[in-house]
Amino acid sequence: MSDTSSKRALIVGASRGLGLGLAETLLQRGWAVTATQRKAGSDLERLKADRLTVETVDIDDDAGVAALHERLGPQAYDLIFVVAGVATQAHDPAHAVPRDVAAQVYLTNAISPIRFAEAFRDRLAPGGSLALMSSVLGSVGLNESGGWETYRASKAALNTLARSFEIRHRESGISVFLVHPGWVRTDMGGAEADIDVATSVAGMADAIEARLGELGVAYFDYRGETLAW
């Protein structure tokens, strides 16, 4: 595991749940963290840490992302982790989800993270990594139970786009992680989920720190285990 005492992270979508937990965990491990919320006044603002900077941005807003890029200036980050995502009407079959709702899930979960990655690629420090919050539900090969159709499709799309993003920038050398947090007891995961936020974020932090800067694209879970595409 690398020394994290001087590491910097940008956590995108840290107002609650996994994003908030990741921000807290990395701060506890000595990282300096810039964390974003979609709207002001979230739980993130109640965190007290000298090494924490809080920003407000909606990843679906290109102008807002560009403004954030300008506000943060030339600062480079060892980890840029896009956590933000939605699961609107996730339990409904695809044909029962209104077209505009399904389209928004796709935009927020697949297109916007890649657009953010492209916008902030120049802010990734040498030896740093870009992480995107995926899900085991995005694995086509592991889909043996069905369900969560539009959410599954959006994460499968994210995985595909992330692979293409890495290929597009391969000559310059880039490290891309697609991370499955486990089935976690959050607003999205529900009360019946397998693990709590603390277990998930500690595992993700361990897995990321162990692989930080590893070139190429990797798809793994919070235990560091590689997942099938």
Side-chain angles (χ1 to χ4, degrees):
M1 185 178 298
S2 60
D3 174 26
T4 60
S5 60
S6 61
K7 298 293 187 185
R8 292 183 175 274
L10 173 59
I11 308 298
V12 184
S15 60
R16 60 180 181 169
L18 293 170
L20 181 62
L22 276 165
E24 290 182 289
T25 296
L26 292 180
L27 286 167
Q28 291 166 1
R29 295 185 181 202
W31 290 65
V33 175
T34 298
T36 78
Q37 56 189 358
R38 188 167 62 87
K39 295 180 180 179
S42 72
D43 289 343
L44 181 60
E45 294 182 349
R46 290 193 278 275
L47 284 183
K48 302 298 181 183
D50 293 338
R51 299 180 312 282
L52 174 66
T53 301
V54 177
E55 293 282 352
T56 301
V57 71
D58 184 339
I59 64 167
D60 290 329
D61 177 7
D62 289 333
V65 170
L68 175 66
H69 187 275
E70 181 70 19
R71 286 199 305 275
L72 295 180
Q75 179 62 61
Y77 299 92
D78 301 282
L79 173 65
I80 298 175
F81 197 157
V82 182
V83 178
V86 296
T88 313
Q89 291 187 234
H91 295 287
D92 295 336
H95 68 273
V97 178
R99 290 178 181 271
D100 60 333
V101 173
Q104 189 59 59
V105 170
Y106 173 74
L107 288 171
T108 300
N109 288 359
I111 298 297
S112 292
I114 296 298
R115 293 179 74 96
F116 191 97
E118 199 67 60
F120 273 82
R121 185 174 63 88
D122 65 338
R123 295 294 187 260
L124 198 61
S129 296
L130 166 73
L132 304 169
M133 189 68 84
S134 186
S135 170
V136 71
L137 297 180
S139 169
V140 175
L142 295 176
N143 182 7
E144 298 180 349
S145 61
W148 284 65
E149 292 179 14
T150 53
Y151 182 80
R152 276 186 191 274
S154 72
K155 292 300 186 179
L158 174 64
N159 289 358
T160 294
L161 292 171
R163 291 192 71 159
S164 295
F165 173 86
E166 186 274 330
I167 292 167
R168 188 164 64 252
H169 297 296
R170 184 171 294 172
E171 287 188 5
S172 62
I174 194 164
S175 172
V176 180
F177 301 150
L178 291 154
V179 187
H180 167 51
W183 185 21
V184 190
R185 291 190 289 275
T186 61
D187 290 343
M188 184 182 295
E192 302 303 314
D194 293 333
I195 60 174
D196 58 18
V197 169
T199 300
S200 174
V201 298
M204 286 191 288
D206 287 344
I208 287 169
E209 288 178 349
R211 295 174 182 247
L212 196 65
E214 183 179 287
L215 295 180
V217 58
Y219 180 27
F220 56 86
D221 67 14
Y222 73 101
R223 296 164 297 190
E225 296 180 2
T226 298
L227 297 174
W229 295 96

